[in-house]
Amino acid sequence: MVNKRKVRLMARTAMYEKHDGRKELKNAQYYRGDYIGMHMLFAGIGVTGGYLLTLVLICVYRFEYIVNNLTKIDYRRLGSTLIVTYVLLLIAAQVMAYFVFSIRYGDYEDGMKMYISRLKKIDKLSREEKKENNNGEEE
Amino acid sequence: MTELLKIKDILQRLYGKYDMVISHVLRFAAAFISFMLIRGMTGYNSLASNVFMLILLSAVCAFLPGGITALMGCALIILQLYGLSLEYALITLAVLLILLLVYYVFAPGTGWILLLTPVMFMLHIPYVVPVIIGLTAGVAGIVPAVFGTYLYFALSFSSEFAASASMFGEGDLVQKIVFIMDNTIMNKEMLVMSIVFAAAIVLVFVIKSFSIDHSRTIAVVTGSIVEAVLVIMSHVMMNLPFNMFTLILGCAAAVAIGLVLNFFILSVDYSRTEKVQFEDDDYYYYVKAVPKFNMTKEEVKIKKINSRAADEKNYDPEDSYATGGNSEPEELERQKAYERDMLNLEDDE
């Protein structure tokens, strides 16, 4: 006999696995620290690449000025400005990444918790069903 | 209003029934229209201007996520600009790479905005962009909207650049790059529109988030009006040209599209028909889950309590059974009930 409640739960679980679960279950497998750390690293690499590209664009745009003032530019000041800007951007990106991915991991965890509780319910129903079947056979 | 609700209901049912076909057709149409608009504005590369090629690309995009369509659109833009000038293409590629590296680490799901913004500009309804983004993606959509605005200005300047390309000789590489950047990245109007869009997106998103009745409708109307005021103020302050008539029409279109989006898309649960397979120890299950719809048919019944005495005086049994020649199934049933009751009455007598 098909157990309606169990089929409903199994269908919901299968739908979750098919859609949101595909991404959520994959990411929730990481430890919280690993997941956030990994994305903070990606954010750092992204910001570094973006900063370098922006610098290249600025250099090309101001190429004439740079060539004309090659000897007059205060390189120490320019270097420190560039490094300070980079560090500030990197810190901002890291802080942002920490908050964004903490929230996201929390959402994935919630999805995972619901998924596990459904699996437990299905397991419980299956055990009850088996027990009933065994009792019926013994009688 | 009842008619609108019925249309909404029909749309919901249709989507529930043919969701696979409808979503793919819509994706194909969106991709094809976007690619054709890009082709219409440029046309410098024979491969990226080939209609058959664009149809093929749109067909591929129909089965892929929206972000991939945006990526394809960007690739087409780069290809077209490469046909015009290598420097132009490289600058645009560098700007898009900056966006990809810095922003898409945080919000990879907002790629579609990058293509939507230039497409709306090409359709002459750019003021719709903040309304759509504010209602859907929220503040996460500001950065791609700004870069999308850049893409449009890069495309619109391409024809001007093509006309003045003969000004530059072989060795004028730096002058060429400065000329391109002055008119695209440093374009005053582009910067102004980006700031206005960002402000309008924040406003629409904030009002939409209020827990008040009709918050989305209020957000659409207020956002569009404030956007129009900001456009006028910023253009006047920066001495930039603008057309009042186009602005008013554009903002009216923003309100209309925002309301349609809200009524027919955002406030409807287009739950799909799901087909899933699973198994337990005894059975294999092939389940088709069909979403339930609440509204089936609007029935409005008006009961006049005050006019009871007058009704009793003029009481006609035929009226109460509505036998006025109406051929609706319910009316036919009522008519049958009337005839049956009349026969019973005759029998009793």
Side-chain angles (χ1 to χ4, degrees):
Chain A
M1 180 79 177
V2 176
N3 185 339
K4 270 188 191 174
R5 204 179 153 211
K6 199 175 106 182
V7 172
R8 251 181 234 142
L9 271 170
M10 284 165 91
R12 289 268 172 201
T13 316
M15 275 186 225
Y16 172 75
E17 277 174 3
K18 200 176 163 187
H19 299 289
D20 297 346
R22 197 178 281 181
K23 189 180 170 192
E24 290 185 2
L25 295 175
K26 198 177 118 193
N27 287 315
Q29 280 175 351
Y30 289 102
Y31 284 114
R32 187 187 160 83
D34 287 352
Y35 176 77
I36 297 169
M38 181 177 75
H39 283 94
M40 279 171 77
L41 182 73
F42 287 151
I45 295 168
V47 164
T48 310
Y51 184 70
L52 288 175
L53 266 174
T54 313
L55 279 186
V56 170
L57 279 180
I58 293 170
C59 285
V60 172
Y61 186 64
R62 306 283 288 168
F63 186 75
E64 215 163 305
Y65 173 83
I66 293 167
V67 170
N68 290 339
N69 297 284
L70 261 180
T71 49
K72 293 174 200 165
I73 295 171
D74 182 356
Y75 286 103
R76 188 174 283 179
R77 205 177 145 197
L78 181 72
S80 58
T81 313
L82 289 180
I83 290 168
V84 167
T85 317
Y86 172 65
V87 169
L88 285 177
L89 276 174
L90 199 62
I91 290 169
Q94 296 294 297
V95 171
M96 217 167 112
Y98 179 79
F99 282 111
V100 168
F101 291 103
S102 297
I103 294 167
R104 224 169 267 179
Y105 190 80
D107 293 343
Y108 296 157
E109 258 183 341
D110 291 344
M112 179 92 156
K113 273 177 195 164
M114 213 208 294
Y115 177 70
I116 290 170
S117 85
R118 272 184 190 152
L119 286 182
K120 278 180 181 167
K121 273 180 201 164
I122 293 167
D123 189 49
K124 200 182 157 192
L125 285 172
S126 300
R127 279 167 200 271
E128 280 171 7
E129 216 175 71
K130 263 184 192 171
K131 224 180 211 177
E132 274 173 26
N133 287 343
N134 288 340
N135 288 342
E137 279 169 17
E138 277 170 18
E139 279 168 15
Chain B
M1 193 66 187
T2 314
E3 290 304 312
L4 282 175
L5 285 169
K6 276 182 187 169
I7 295 170
K8 195 160 124 175
D9 192 40
I10 291 166
L11 280 177
Q12 202 172 357
R13 277 165 188 283
L14 263 177
Y15 192 77
K17 214 171 176 184
Y18 307 107
D19 64 317
M20 287 293 278
V21 181
I22 292 174
S23 63
H24 288 141
V25 168
L26 285 179
R27 276 183 197 178
F28 173 81
F32 186 64
I33 291 169
S34 311
F35 297 162
M36 284 305 281
L37 285 169
I38 292 169
R39 178 183 178 265
M41 274 197 92
T42 47
Y44 306 113
N45 187 297
S46 56
L47 183 70
S49 304
N50 189 329
V51 179
F52 180 70
M53 184 78 187
L54 295 183
I55 293 172
L56 211 69
L57 213 59
S58 310
V60 173
C61 289
F63 296 94
L64 296 171
I68 304 288
T69 310
L71 206 69
M72 297 259 193
C74 291
L76 280 178
I77 291 172
I78 303 283
L79 256 178
Q80 293 280 13
L81 294 179
Y82 176 68
L84 175 66
S85 146
L86 174 67
E87 299 82 17
Y88 211 142
L90 278 178
I91 292 168
T92 315
L93 184 67
V95 173
L96 287 175
L97 270 178
I98 291 170
L99 173 75
L100 196 76
L101 285 169
V102 179
Y103 195 67
Y104 282 109
V105 177
F106 297 106
T110 51
W112 56 274
I113 297 169
L114 192 64
L115 195 60
L116 176 91
T117 313
V119 166
M120 288 298 157
F121 266 105
M122 289 175 214
L123 292 171
H124 305 287
I125 43 171
Y127 307 111
V128 177
V129 172
V131 173
I132 295 176
I133 297 171
L135 287 179
T136 54
V139 282
I142 292 176
V143 178
V146 169
F147 279 79
T149 312
Y150 160 76
L151 268 186
Y152 171 73
F153 278 87
L155 282 175
S156 70
F157 179 67
S158 66
S159 56
E160 216 175 298
F161 179 77
S164 53
S166 54
M167 273 170 24
F168 303 101
E170 283 288 310
D172 300 335
L173 186 75
V174 176
Q175 282 88 338
K176 219 187 216 179
I177 291 173
V178 171
F179 181 63
I180 295 166
M181 285 172 85
D182 267 335
N183 288 286
T184 52
I185 303 174
M186 308 303 283
N187 187 330
K188 260 188 195 175
E189 198 178 353
M190 194 276 284
L191 295 171
V192 162
M193 286 306 284
S194 302
I195 293 165
V196 170
F197 278 4
I201 289 170
V202 171
L203 186 75
V204 173
F205 177 70
V206 168
I207 298 176
K208 185 204 92 172
S209 312
F210 287 160
S211 56
I212 49 169
D213 288 345
H214 311 294
S215 61
R216 284 205 195 116
T217 313
I218 298 167
V220 168
V221 177
T222 319
S224 303
I225 294 169
V226 171
E227 194 188 354
V229 173
L230 285 178
V231 168
I232 296 169
M233 275 171 61
S234 55
H235 279 68
V236 169
M237 276 168 70
M238 302 294 285
N239 291 324
L240 293 166
F242 75 97
N243 188 337
M244 197 66 176
F245 183 67
T246 323
L247 177 71
I248 293 168
L249 270 186
C251 286
V255 172
I257 291 172
L259 293 178
V260 168
L261 185 80
N262 175 34
F263 192 78
F264 287 109
I265 297 168
L266 298 174
S267 55
V268 186
D269 176 22
Y270 285 105
S271 308
R272 293 159 178 222
T273 306
E274 294 280 357
K275 282 178 186 164
V276 282
Q277 296 173 23
F278 45 90
E279 61 180 289
D280 64 4
D281 294 345
D282 307 315
Y283 297 99
Y284 288 104
Y285 299 89
Y286 297 93
V287 175
K288 184 180 179 183
V290 183
K292 279 184 181 173
F293 299 111
N294 293 328
M295 197 196 126
T296 48
K297 198 168 186 182
E298 277 289 304
E299 260 187 58
V300 183
K301 283 182 182 172
I302 300 166
K303 197 173 183 181
K304 287 182 183 174
I305 296 164
N306 294 338
S307 57
R308 198 187 203 170
D311 284 349
E312 272 173 5
K313 269 182 197 171
N314 307 322
Y315 179 71
D316 180 4
E318 213 171 288
D319 277 349
S320 65
Y321 289 98
T323 53
N326 201 329
S327 60
E328 289 289 319
E330 278 181 26
E331 300 300 328
L332 284 172
E333 267 180 37
R334 278 185 200 161
Q335 200 167 348
K336 276 179 193 167
Y338 165 70
E339 281 162 8
R340 198 174 53 239
D341 288 358
M342 283 298 156
L343 280 174
N344 288 341
L345 276 173
E346 280 166 14
D347 287 347
D348 285 347
E349 278 168 8

